[in-house]
Structures are given as structure tokens and as C-alpha cells.
Amino acid sequence: SKDIAQVSQWANFSDSLHMAVASIYYPSQGVVQLNKTETERAKSMLSESFSRINLYLASRTFLVSESITQADISFFCTIQCLLETHYEVNQLKSLYPHVYRWANTIGNQQEVVSVIGRPISFCTKPIPAFDAKKYAELPPKAAQGGGKKENQGGKKKDGDKKQQEKPKQEAAAVDDTPKEDYKDAFAAMPGGNFDMDEFKRVYSNKDILADAIPHFW
């Protein structure tokens, strides 16, 4: 149906924003180094998305239909971390009032709260774009990686000799014993009469719930 298709579209749209959200949120948590170019690009992308969605929600309570759907949950879970850490609530209300209203509605639904553990807590003071202290506490992965490469380099000659000897050993170990013919484990079972091509035509051209699923069964 139309609603099912729209829910799927919103879920895919939410997935497409994950990288932009991560480019802003992860550096602020000290998980990755700050890349100002990527962060600014992500902010621009999200601002454009929020502007469009704000207009879309001007006449709607939920993203699809008249009740909460997977579309609302997917989009809310994608942007929740930024709403609570980067988008100051008064600025959010001013720039994207309908997005704020929608997020406040979804973030206080009993079903959503039961999963997240608490109602949404909008940002009152944006956190810094980069947490250098947390980032400095991360293990020195680059140094560890360099040590491994050095050790591997020291064993390179031995590895080359082993690689040269391996094909000879494999050739000597080839088993010329004739193999038994392959037997189909389902050969004794009665053949099916399901027309997959016909099902594909029904699935592609008719309503999934009303026609395709009954046709399948």
C-alpha cells in the first residue's frame, strides 16, 4: 500500500543521514578526530533536510498516516543524539518549529521511552565540536599498527620461502582418487508446481498484502 511504501522510503532516508550525524556526533564524543570539512558538509546537509522536513510536518503530526510508524522511530533514533547535544532547543524551535514539535511528540511516547529509558532531553547548551581529552585517552592504534608491520617485515624472507614451497607441497598432495557422483538429496521428493515467474509478476504489479502474499501461499 501507499503507507507501507512511504514508511520504507523514510527508513531509507534515515539511513542516508547516518554518516552526516556521525560526522558531527562522534568527534564531540572524542571517538574520532575532528574533520572540519566533513563536519561543515554534514551540518549543511542536515540543515537542508531539517528545512524540508519542517515544511512537510507543518500539516502533519506524524511522518506517515495519523499514528506513529516505523518511519517516525527510524528518523527519531537517527537524529536524537544531535537534538540532545548539538541543536540548542530555543534555536531548534525558532528554525524548525515543526521538527521540534514532532520530536517532542515521538520522544515522549510511552513505547519509545520504554526502549530509550527516558523521555527526550533537548539540548540547552551545545557541547564542543571536538573532545580532545577523550580522544587523547584512546589507545594509540597507529603505534600498535606500526609495530605489527615492522615484525611482519622482519619475517618477510621466511614467508617468501614458505610461499614458494607451498605450491610444491600442494601439488604432491593432490588426491587422484575418483570421487563418487554427486547425489541430489531432494531427488526422491515430489517436484513442486510453484510458478516463480507468475509470483514475480503479481508481486511487482499488484498490492503486496491483498494479492501477492495470498498468491504466495
Side-chain angles (χ1 to χ4, degrees):
S1 68
K2 182 178 179 181
D3 286 352
I4 294 177
Q6 288 184 346
V7 169
S8 179
Q9 289 175 344
W10 277 107
N12 291 335
F13 171 72
S14 299
D15 288 343
S16 71
L17 295 180
H18 283 169
M19 288 301 296
V21 172
S23 296
I24 299 173
Y25 185 70
Y26 286 174
S28 69
Q29 301 301 305
V31 177
V32 298
Q33 179 64 268
L34 175 66
N35 184 320
K36 292 184 178 181
T37 302
E38 290 296 325
T39 299
E40 291 304 316
R41 184 183 294 118
K43 288 181 178 180
S44 177
M45 178 181 177
L46 289 173
S47 294
E48 182 178 353
S49 298
F50 277 22
S51 295
R52 293 176 180 273
I53 295 171
N54 190 65
L55 292 175
Y56 178 82
L57 288 170
S59 58
R60 296 173 175 86
T61 302
F62 302 99
L63 294 176
V64 180
S65 72
E66 297 300 323
S67 60
I68 188 172
T69 64
Q70 183 62 47
D72 300 286
I73 295 173
S74 296
F75 186 52
F76 177 80
C77 289
T78 298
I79 65 173
Q80 177 202 359
C81 59
L82 295 185
L83 296 181
E84 294 188 330
T85 57
H86 286 74
Y87 287 91
E88 196 273 327
V89 62
N90 291 322
Q91 187 177 20
L92 182 68
K93 290 179 180 179
S94 175
L95 294 175
Y96 316 111
H98 304 301
V99 172
Y100 166 78
R101 169 183 50 78
W102 168 85
N104 192 46
T105 299
I106 303 301
N108 284 282
Q109 295 290 313
Q110 182 178 354
E111 295 81 2
V112 176
V113 173
S114 66
V115 174
I116 296 176
R118 55 174 174 74
I120 185 173
S121 177
F122 287 99
C123 172
T124 56
K125 183 180 179 181
I127 63 177
F130 179 58
D131 192 327
K133 183 179 180 181
K134 285 185 179 179
Y135 185 76
E137 294 173 354
L138 292 177
K141 295 182 180 179
Q144 292 176 0
K148 291 182 180 178
K149 289 182 180 179
E150 185 177 349
N151 292 334
Q152 290 174 357
K155 298 179 180 179
K156 186 175 181 180
K157 293 183 179 179
D158 293 338
D160 289 343
K161 291 181 179 179
K162 291 181 180 179
Q163 288 179 357
Q164 292 174 2
E165 295 174 357
K166 189 174 181 180
K168 297 179 181 179
Q169 296 174 354
E170 290 179 349
V174 172
D175 186 4
D176 294 329
T177 305
K179 306 296 183 181
E180 295 183 5
D181 293 337
Y182 170 76
K183 294 182 179 180
D184 187 353
F186 299 96
M189 300 182 65
N193 56 4
F194 184 80
D195 190 337
M196 179 58 74
D197 290 333
E198 176 62 22
F199 173 71
K200 289 179 180 178
R201 285 191 288 270
V202 174
Y203 184 86
S204 300
N205 299 295
K206 295 186 179 182
D207 185 270
I208 295 176
L209 294 178
D211 299 297
I213 293 179
H215 179 88
F216 179 83
W217 294 110

